[in-house]
């Protein structure tokens, strides 16, 4: 239908996984018979509310993931930083005909256990919001350390603390506007896109969806072992 909003999933696979200690990018490590990347992509390719999937990879990894992505995924090259890769994805979506009102889910490939419930809730929340954060409580006590001595200060109020997860959701126009403004803001480096929207598009309506502890990010060997144990329990 002409003018119908589409939902695009952007999967960022830029990490090399040095902390995992493997001989290959962490996205290509085995997770119960499938690679981490295959599981992350399948969560979106197989979801009824997602129309198209874009995979963003470094140029050096493009050949390695070619056989993993499959025919239903558009593979593009990213940039040096996460924000560069997101901007590359936005350009690719525009070239593919995406409009301002289209919905974009930005997901880290290193989170292969994202659930269908999470994806559905983020897409649904975008019907009423311009951006959607996926948040989970932190079980740990968090303190801010002195930058000189390294000593801990007073604990931050844990009841008010949350951790960002992905996918985060956006209207394409809002995501594009935030990154356009961020390109001129060298003093601020956001590690996620919702924070970028809140800083550069303050009028944007931001919604919140509850994440899941299972939706962990694989950054080291322990995370990979936990993910394998979780899959084994399914």
């Amino acid at each position: 239908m002409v003018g119908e909003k589409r939902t695009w999933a952007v999967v960022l696979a830029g990490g090399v996984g040095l902390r995992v200690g493997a001989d290959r990018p962490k996205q290509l490590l085995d997770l119960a018979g499938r690679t981490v990347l295959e599981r992350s992509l399948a969560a979106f390719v197989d979801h009824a509310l997602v129309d198209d999937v874009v995979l963003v990879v470094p140029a050096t990894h493009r050949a390695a993931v070619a056989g993993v992505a499959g025919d239903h995924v558009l593979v593009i090259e990213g940039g040096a930083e996460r924000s560069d890769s997101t901007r590359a994805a936005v350009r690719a979506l525009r070239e593919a005909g995406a409009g301002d009102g289209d919905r974009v889910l930005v997901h880290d490939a290193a989170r292969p256990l994202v659930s269908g419930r999470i994806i559905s809730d983020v897409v649904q929340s975008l019907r009423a919001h311009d951006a959607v954060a996926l948040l989970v409580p932190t079980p740990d006590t968090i303190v801010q350390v002195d930058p000189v001595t390294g000593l801990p200060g007073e604990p931050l109020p844990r009841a008010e603390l949350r951790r960002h997860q992905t996918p985060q959701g956006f209207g394409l126009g809002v995501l594009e506007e935030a990154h356009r403004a961020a390109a001129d803001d060298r003093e601020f480096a956001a590690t996620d896109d919702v924070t970028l929207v809140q800083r550069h598009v303050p009028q944007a309506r931001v919604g919140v969806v509850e994440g899941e502890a299972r939706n962990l990010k694989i950054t080291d060997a322990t995370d990979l072992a936990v993910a394998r144990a979780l899959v084994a329990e399914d």
Side-chain angles (χ1 to χ4, degrees):
M1 182 182 299
V2 176
E4 183 179 359
K5 294 180 181 179
R6 298 183 66 78
T7 299
W8 308 74
V10 171
V11 178
L12 303 175
V16 296
L18 294 178
R19 282 176 284 180
V20 177
D23 60 353
R24 71 196 73 179
K26 61 186 176 183
Q27 294 87 352
L28 299 181
L29 295 176
D30 178 74
L31 183 53
R34 305 172 76 184
T35 65
V36 170
L37 180 57
E38 284 177 303
R39 289 185 177 276
S40 294
L41 288 173
F44 296 93
V45 171
D46 298 339
H47 200 285
L49 297 182
V50 176
D51 298 299
D52 297 280
V53 179
V54 177
L55 172 64
V56 189
V57 298
T60 53
H61 296 169
R62 186 161 186 170
V65 305
V68 174
D71 298 332
H72 302 293
V73 176
L74 172 64
V75 182
I76 67 169
E77 294 178 7
E81 303 294 336
R82 186 184 193 278
S83 57
D84 299 321
S85 294
T86 304
R87 281 192 286 272
V90 169
R91 289 194 297 271
L93 294 183
R94 289 298 194 186
E95 292 170 1
D100 282 354
D102 282 9
R103 296 176 283 264
V104 183
L105 309 182
V106 180
H107 185 64
D108 296 323
R111 294 186 186 273
L113 303 185
V114 59
S115 69
R117 191 281 298 172
I118 284 177
I119 296 172
S120 295
D121 286 358
V122 173
V123 173
Q124 294 295 341
S125 186
L126 281 172
R127 300 183 187 278
H129 300 98
D130 302 308
V132 177
L134 184 67
L135 302 179
V136 290
T138 176
D140 301 313
T141 297
I142 306 295
V143 298
Q144 184 170 356
V145 299
D146 185 287
V148 177
T149 67
L151 293 174
E154 290 294 322
L156 300 175
R158 188 165 58 185
E160 300 174 9
L161 298 177
R162 298 292 185 273
R163 291 182 289 121
H164 278 291
Q165 292 186 335
T166 64
Q168 296 180 330
F170 308 90
L172 177 57
V174 170
L175 182 61
E176 185 175 47
E177 181 181 351
H179 276 276
R180 187 186 302 117
D184 298 324
D185 186 2
R186 299 299 182 182
E187 296 182 357
F188 181 75
T191 56
D192 73 282
D193 294 297
V194 167
T195 300
L196 211 61
V197 167
Q198 289 179 298
R199 179 176 177 88
H200 295 293
V201 193
Q203 72 277 14
R205 301 165 298 167
V206 178
V208 173
V209 164
E210 184 177 352
E212 298 170 356
R214 179 186 172 92
N215 185 28
L216 57 84
K217 185 175 183 179
I218 296 176
T219 58
D220 57 29
T222 299
D223 298 326
L224 183 61
V226 171
R228 285 172 173 165
L230 289 171
V231 173
E233 292 177 356
D234 291 346

